[in-house]
């Protein structure tokens, strides 16, 4: 069994590992694309040698000059791309460093808050143990328990009466003649009608036996209201007695020095809030860098493509193509050596291209897995799963799922379900109603989602 904070820390380590794996694949992708460019230039140089061998001086100068121009422009594009990639990687690395630093500072602030809470909790438990022998507290607590029991019974009766009313009034309301006289308030001081209408209404009353039915229907509606008012009265009395109990408890807490401990909790909580804001800002900056990275690397590499197209256009000119065919038909020793070199370069270039495509695909998959887990992690953190007072009983499943996500065997979306299934909220210092509870609202992640303060009567029921 591990704590909620340990579970989310494990996910953070997974995210860091995924980013490291991403960086390795990115380097392999960069190396493959650079190799394609290098081989493309090498292939162009081989065609240049054929041009020097086969063309006359004037024609040679023209072709080689065009190849040199294309080569220079291609190299410029590739260098520009490499510089942009390097700058992007450096900025992304800096953003990752900022997130790690902000996470460390947040964790230190959370540790300080937990220590402050532990001190306040120690005082509370000590006071709670001592006051349990105080005669006045025992008397007030006994009244709270007694009235709470009465309130539960009164609430139960009110609910039952309301249910009975809904069921038993249906026959009355289904009788149109009865409801006609009821709405006209027949038989009461509020009834108003002319003599003829009065005469007819008396006839109708006799037919439906309205006098007896009206009394029963009125009582049927009145009893639940009386019981509900009685329940409200008892609950109000219970709240008053609970307030008296809290006053006694709060006084004992203050005398034991709880205010100083609570001030430290408040101070530590404010630091946590500040560190949370810094971390959110750092993560937002990293997310922006990730989006730029994805757009530049995963969705295409325009400068590289432009360089390849530029050289392809140059070495696929009709003159160069003719040179290649002529060299293969009537090879001299030098021609044969150049043609073989071009053929070998073509094979290597195709292999490098396949490698670039494969690493590009893997890089995209890794980025998508990492982004999915980051999204799940952020959602769970905001839902309070990183509370130090929560536990996970399925840590083995969590490790297996994270490992499966990293290898691609498991989809990232299943992570949230595994965490939700294994999570158990434990009580935190903010859940205690003793003395009115901590007079400080908890930061995100420290609550348990249960009731606080007046919501819990500590007698087995709440109203």
């Amino acid at each position: 069994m591990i704590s909620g904070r340990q579970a989310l820390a494990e996910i953070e380590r997974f995210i860091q590992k995924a980013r490291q794996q991403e960086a390795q694949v990115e380097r392999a992708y960069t190396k493959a694309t650079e190799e394609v460019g290098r081989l493309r230039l090498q292939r162009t140089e081989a065609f240049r040698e054929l041009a020097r061998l086969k063309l006359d001086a004037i024609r040679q100068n023209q072709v080689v000059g065009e190849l040199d121009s294309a080569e220079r422009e291609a190299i410029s594009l590739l260098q520009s791309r490499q510089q942009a990639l390097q700058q992007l990687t450096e900025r992304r690395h800096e953003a990752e460093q900022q997130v790690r630093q902000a996470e460390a500072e947040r964790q230190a602030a959370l540790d300080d808050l937990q220590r402050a809470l532990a001190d306040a909790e120690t005082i509370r438990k000590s006071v709670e143990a001592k006051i349990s022998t105080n005669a006045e507290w025992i008397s007030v607590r006994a009244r709270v328990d007694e009235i709470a029991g009465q309130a539960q019974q009164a609430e139960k009766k009110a609910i039952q009466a309301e249910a009975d009313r809904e069921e038993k009034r249906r026959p009355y309301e289904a009788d149109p003649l009865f409801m006609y006289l009821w709405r006209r308030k027949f038989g009461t001081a509020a009834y108003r009608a002319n003599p003829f209408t009065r005469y007819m209404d008396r006839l109708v009353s006799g037919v439906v036996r309205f006098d007896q039915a009206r009394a029963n229907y009125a009582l049927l509606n009145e009893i639940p209201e009386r019981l509900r008012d009685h329940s409200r009265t008892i609950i109000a009395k219970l709240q008053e007695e609970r307030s008296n109990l809290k006053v006694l408890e709060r006084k004992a807490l203050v005398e034991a020095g709880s205010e100083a401990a609570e001030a430290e909790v408040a101070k530590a909580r404010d630091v946590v809030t500040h560190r949370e804001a810094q971390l959110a800002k750092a993560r937002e900056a990293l997310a922006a860098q990730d989006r730029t990275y994805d757009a530049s690397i995963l969705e295409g590499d325009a400068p590289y493509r432009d360089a390849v197209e530029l050289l392809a256009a140059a070495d696929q000119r009709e003159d160069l193509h003719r040179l290649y065919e002529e060299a293969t038909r009537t090879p001299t020793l030098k021609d044969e050596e150049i043609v073989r070199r071009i053929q070998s370069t073509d094979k290597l270039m195709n292999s490098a291209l396949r490698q670039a495509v494969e690493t590009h695909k893997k890089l995209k998959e890794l980025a998508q897995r990492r982004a999915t887990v980051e999204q799940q992690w952020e959602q769970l953190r905001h839902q309070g799963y990183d509370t130090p007072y929560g536990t996970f009983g399925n840590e083995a499943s969590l490790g297996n799922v994270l490992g499966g996500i990293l290898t691609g065997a498991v989809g990232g979306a299943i992570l949230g379900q595994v965490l939700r299934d294994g999570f158990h909220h434990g009580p935190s210092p903010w859940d205690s109603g003793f003395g009115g509870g901590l007079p400080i609202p908890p930061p995100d992640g420290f609550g348990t989602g249960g009731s606080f303060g007046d919501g819990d009567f500590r007698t087995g029921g709440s109203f």
Side-chain angles (χ1 to χ4, degrees), residues 75-346:
I75 291 174
S76 176
L77 285 169
L78 291 173
Q79 288 177 342
S80 173
R81 167 202 172 277
Q82 192 63 26
Q83 291 173 358
L85 176 60
Q86 183 177 356
Q87 292 173 359
L88 175 60
T89 303
E90 289 175 356
R91 289 196 299 269
R92 192 168 181 243
H93 179 69
E94 290 173 1
E96 290 173 351
Q97 289 287 93
Q98 291 294 328
V99 168
R100 282 194 287 271
Q101 180 179 349
E103 286 174 344
E105 291 173 349
R106 170 183 174 267
Q107 186 57 54
L110 287 170
D111 292 341
D112 290 342
L113 177 57
Q114 281 187 261
R115 284 190 288 270
L117 283 169
D119 293 341
E121 186 75 351
T122 298
I123 294 174
R124 181 190 67 77
K125 289 180 178 179
S126 175
V127 171
E128 195 167 4
K130 290 178 181 178
I131 204 172
S132 63
T133 61
N134 180 280
E136 184 181 6
W137 183 87
I138 292 173
S139 176
V140 176
R141 176 59 186 267
R143 288 199 301 272
V144 168
D145 291 343
E146 179 184 358
I147 298 172
Q150 295 172 0
Q152 288 176 336
Q153 290 300 317
E155 181 73 5
K156 182 178 179 180
K157 289 179 180 179
I159 292 173
Q160 184 61 52
E162 288 166 349
D164 290 344
R165 177 182 58 190
E166 294 302 316
E167 179 68 26
K168 293 179 179 179
R169 70 183 184 182
R170 290 175 184 170
Y172 295 94
E173 294 174 355
D175 188 336
L177 295 178
F178 171 80
M179 292 307 297
Y180 160 77
L181 295 175
W182 175 264
R183 293 190 184 99
R184 291 183 62 84
K185 299 184 179 355
F186 182 80
T188 70
Y191 176 70
R192 295 289 184 273
N194 58 48
F196 177 75
T197 301
R198 284 177 179 271
Y199 172 75
M200 296 302 297
D201 286 348
R202 280 195 296 271
L203 292 178
V204 173
S205 173
V207 171
V208 299
R209 298 179 180 179
F210 180 75
D211 290 343
Q212 181 181 356
R214 182 181 66 82
N216 293 337
Y217 187 68
L219 188 62
L220 181 64
N221 285 282
E222 184 179 350
I223 289 176
E225 293 301 327
R226 289 181 180 179
L227 291 175
R228 175 57 63 192
D229 289 341
H230 178 62
S231 176
R232 293 191 186 102
T233 300
I234 296 179
I235 290 175
K237 187 176 180 181
L238 176 60
Q239 290 173 337
E240 181 181 354
E241 291 297 339
R242 278 186 57 82
S243 296
N244 295 335
L245 186 66
K246 288 179 182 178
V247 168
L248 289 175
E249 293 173 346
R250 185 62 190 169
K251 181 181 178 182
L253 285 169
V254 171
E255 289 174 353
S258 66
E259 288 182 321
E262 289 165 358
E264 289 299 317
V265 172
K267 180 180 177 182
R269 190 198 77 91
D270 291 342
V271 174
V272 168
T273 301
H274 176 65
R275 295 304 186 194
E276 287 279 5
Q278 287 184 321
L279 179 57
K281 185 177 180 181
R283 286 199 178 112
E284 184 179 349
L286 177 57
Q289 291 297 329
D290 283 338
R291 288 191 294 271
T292 303
Y293 172 87
D294 291 346
S296 177
I297 301 300
L298 303 185
E299 295 179 4
D301 197 339
Y304 168 74
R305 291 199 309 270
D306 290 344
V308 170
E309 291 300 324
L310 183 67
L311 289 175
D315 67 14
Q316 288 177 5
R317 291 176 62 253
E318 182 180 354
D319 292 328
L320 293 176
H321 184 68
R322 181 177 53 80
L323 287 174
Y324 185 91
E325 289 182 344
E326 181 181 341
T328 57
R329 285 196 306 267
T330 58
T332 63
L333 291 178
K334 186 64 175 176
D335 287 344
E336 185 177 353
E337 186 272 331
I338 294 174
V339 169
R340 287 176 179 174
R341 195 195 316 161
I342 292 173
Q343 291 172 337
S344 176
T345 301
D346 283 344

